[in-house]
Amino acid sequence: MLKGKTAVVTGSTSGIGLGIARALAQSGANVMLNGFGDAQAIEALRVELERESSSEIGYHGADMQQPDEIAALVDAAARRWGSVDILVNNAGIQHVAPLEAFPEDRWDAVIAVNLSAAFHSTRRALPLMRERGWGRIINIASAHGLVASVHKAAYVAAKHGIVGLTKVTALETAQSGITCNAICPGWVLTPLVQKQIDALAAQEGLSPLQAKQRLLLEKQPSGEFTTPEEIGGLAVFLCSAAANQIRGASLSIDGGWTAQ
Ligand code: NAD
């Protein structure tokens, strides 16, 4: 379905981004991976994705806090494959602390990676999509793009911001073949969430299993984690023709979290 398309997925060396990159590659898109990690492990991942699909997979190590590196990431994909058709703004970080104790540098970093990076990449990729008259911009927001939780000021502000950016991008591309939507996952068991489970276990003296169940059941009525594969499937659907008129939407995939 996506043969001949080029996708850039930020933060795709792990977790949700990797699930999306894998799903796009298996649907035929060439994919530029991005994210941090051990160089050998990333190369092994790149080769694995290439082997299990008929796509070409590249890697670019741009830091999503640096606008010039973000531009270089988009340009590198366009140089290699001729354009950027699918942009998935996924890279994200978390910091958990009460407002009064929230470190200023953590605020700046969370806003930079989780919000500003999507502005910089969209700005760079949009002219390429307009040239071809087709494009898909998928912003990975969160249930925290729609509702809040304590101690996550920067994350909740950034995720609400990206829901707003999604709507503006959708309106500015409304009369074209380019769509922009946000995906709002609930809890997904990735390294980002594992850190929060470990912190909860240490704070409350819980076993790892108890901490996992407490974290889930506090928010997610299904009692089950959303998976990177499920989010990958939703991203592929958003790239299909059936999704041509889904524009500016925030699609929850959260086990009922925001239905409450
Ligand atoms: P993760 O920690 O598994 O992966 C994050 C990815 O982003 C990694 O590849 C990492 O290397 C990359 N990254 C981090 N900082 C970067 C930077 N400065 N430059 C480039 N890459 C960088 O996390 P995840 O849980 O897969 O999260 C992915 C996205 O999904 C984030 O935007 C997160 O907010 C969102 N999300 C996660 C959950 C969840 O429960 N895990 C829920 C809702 C939304």
Side-chain angles (χ1 to χ4, degrees), residues 193-227:
V193 163
Q194 188 61 51
K195 278 185 213 152
Q196 296 173 62
I197 293 172
D198 295 345
L200 185 67
Q203 235 169 46
E204 313 261 325
L206 302 172
S207 73
L209 184 64
Q210 285 170 323
K212 199 187 278 185
Q213 283 168 342
R214 164 88 78 81
L215 179 113
L216 253 185
L217 282 171
E218 192 191 318
K219 300 283 187 188
Q220 200 143 308
S222 67
E224 307 230 19
F225 287 101
T226 302
T227 65

Side-chain angles (χ1 to χ4, degrees), residues 7-77:
V8 171
V9 185
T10 72
S12 45
T13 52
S14 164
I16 294 171
L18 177 55
I20 293 173
R22 178 169 269 136
L24 292 174
Q26 287 178 350
S27 299
N30 295 321
V31 179
M32 185 64 87
L33 299 172
N34 158 259
F36 296 151
D38 171 68
Q40 273 188 338
I42 293 173
E43 177 55 16
L45 202 59
R46 194 194 66 71
V47 170
E48 181 187 314
L49 258 61
E50 214 158 44
R51 208 175 286 139
E52 66 187 31
S53 68
S54 56
S55 305
E56 288 181 30
I57 310 293
Y59 167 75
H60 191 286
D63 178 350
M64 289 298 114
Q65 292 201 51
Q66 307 297 335
D68 55 336
E69 295 187 28
I70 296 169
L73 163 67
V74 172
D75 293 354

Side-chain angles (χ1 to χ4, degrees), residues 11-17 34-36 62-65 90-93 113-114 140-142 155 159 185-188 190-193:
S12 45
T13 52
S14 164
I16 294 171
N34 158 259
F36 296 151
D63 178 350
M64 289 298 114
Q65 292 201 51
N90 166 80
I93 52 174
V113 178
N114 296 22
I140 305 307
S142 167
Y155 190 85
K159 294 300 187 184
W187 291 125
V188 185
T190 66
L192 182 139
V193 163

